[in-house]
Amino acid sequence: MRSNPDRDAVDDIVAQWHQQRPDLDVSPLEVFGRLHRSYIYYQSSLTALFDRHGINMAAFDVLAALRRSGPPYRMTAGQLAEMALVTTGGMTLRVDRLEKAGLVERERDPDDRRIVYSRLTEAGLRVLEATATDHFANESRMLAGLTPTEQAGLAHLLRKLERSIVAAESAESEQPHADSA
């Protein structure tokens, strides 16, 4: 246990870098190191929770997207892929696994047989409802150390961080690279 509760492992890592490479600006580590460490703890907690419900994070994403779509709880692979930020091929694999587990079923559009929907089954809806209840209670538990105002502020800052990262990546991809000249 740390003797100073205002310091964490990232503080120690930053201090070590400053000692070894005082010329190097490692200040981004104060954000991304903590974000990464928090995500590892978060993911571990989610994995354990989803395991208890017999699904994984990818399955939860699909089931939750279908549930959020409202009755009749169905979407195309393209719609699901767009929401989950995966390829349609990757989504097809997820839906295949969920279909084998009896949590979703595929159905063709009666007006256009080329369109195939993935739809929650009754079993899928039951699993999702139970999992979602536990999942959001778990997330609330993990955020209990922050006030509602701090949570709102953090959510706002994380939204800005995502936009900053996307903008930086977009600008980077538009830059001509030295090896392509």
Side-chain angles (χ1 to χ4, degrees), residues 55 59-67 98 103-104 120 124 127-128:
I55 62 174
F60 180 80
D61 283 346
V62 174
L63 297 174
L66 293 170
R67 175 64 177 91
L98 290 167
L103 302 178
V104 300
L120 272 178
V127 166
L128 184 274

Side-chain angles (χ1 to χ4, degrees), residues 120-146:
L120 272 178
T121 62
E122 285 299 317
L125 184 59
R126 281 192 306 274
V127 166
L128 184 274
E129 293 295 332
T131 306
T133 298
D134 290 350
H135 170 59
F136 292 112
N138 185 46
E139 287 189 335
S140 292
R141 179 187 60 79
M142 287 188 276
L143 289 172
L146 302 175

Side-chain angles (χ1 to χ4, degrees), residues 20-175:
Q20 297 300 315
R21 286 284 312 271
D23 61 307
L24 192 61
D25 177 14
V26 297
S27 61
L29 183 60
E30 295 190 55
V31 171
F32 290 109
R34 288 184 177 96
L35 191 61
H36 181 71
R37 291 172 62 83
S38 294
Y39 178 73
I40 290 171
Y41 287 123
Y42 172 76
Q43 186 174 23
S44 176
S45 180
L46 291 189
T47 298
L49 184 141
F50 293 147
D51 282 351
R52 288 193 300 274
H53 288 276
I55 62 174
N56 61 25
M57 195 176 305
F60 180 80
D61 283 346
V62 174
L63 297 174
L66 293 170
R67 175 64 177 91
R68 290 190 317 265
S69 73
Y73 309 124
R74 70 179 193 177
M75 299 172 77
T76 66
Q79 291 169 322
L80 286 166
E82 187 176 318
M83 292 188 87
L85 300 176
V86 298
T87 65
T88 53
M91 185 53 64
T92 297
L93 291 173
R94 290 180 182 187
V95 171
D96 286 348
R97 289 184 193 113
L98 290 167
E99 188 175 39
K100 285 178 188 166
L103 302 178
V104 300
E105 61 187 10
R106 288 182 168 99
E107 59 185 27
R108 293 207 177 268
D109 187 297
D111 299 323
D112 186 345
R113 305 282 297 153
R114 295 171 296 176
I115 300 172
V116 178
Y117 294 102
S118 296
R119 185 178 61 76
L120 272 178
T121 62
E122 285 299 317
L125 184 59
R126 281 192 306 274
V127 166
L128 184 274
E129 293 295 332
T131 306
T133 298
D134 290 350
H135 170 59
F136 292 112
N138 185 46
E139 287 189 335
S140 292
R141 179 187 60 79
M142 287 188 276
L143 289 172
L146 302 175
T147 67
T149 301
E150 289 170 332
Q151 290 178 36
L154 180 58
H156 172 75
L157 290 172
L158 289 171
R159 183 182 302 113
K160 284 182 74 171
L161 175 61
E162 180 181 353
R163 288 180 185 150
S164 179
I165 292 170
V166 169
E169 291 301 307
S170 178
E172 175 70 19
S173 68
E174 293 172 5
Q175 294 289 330

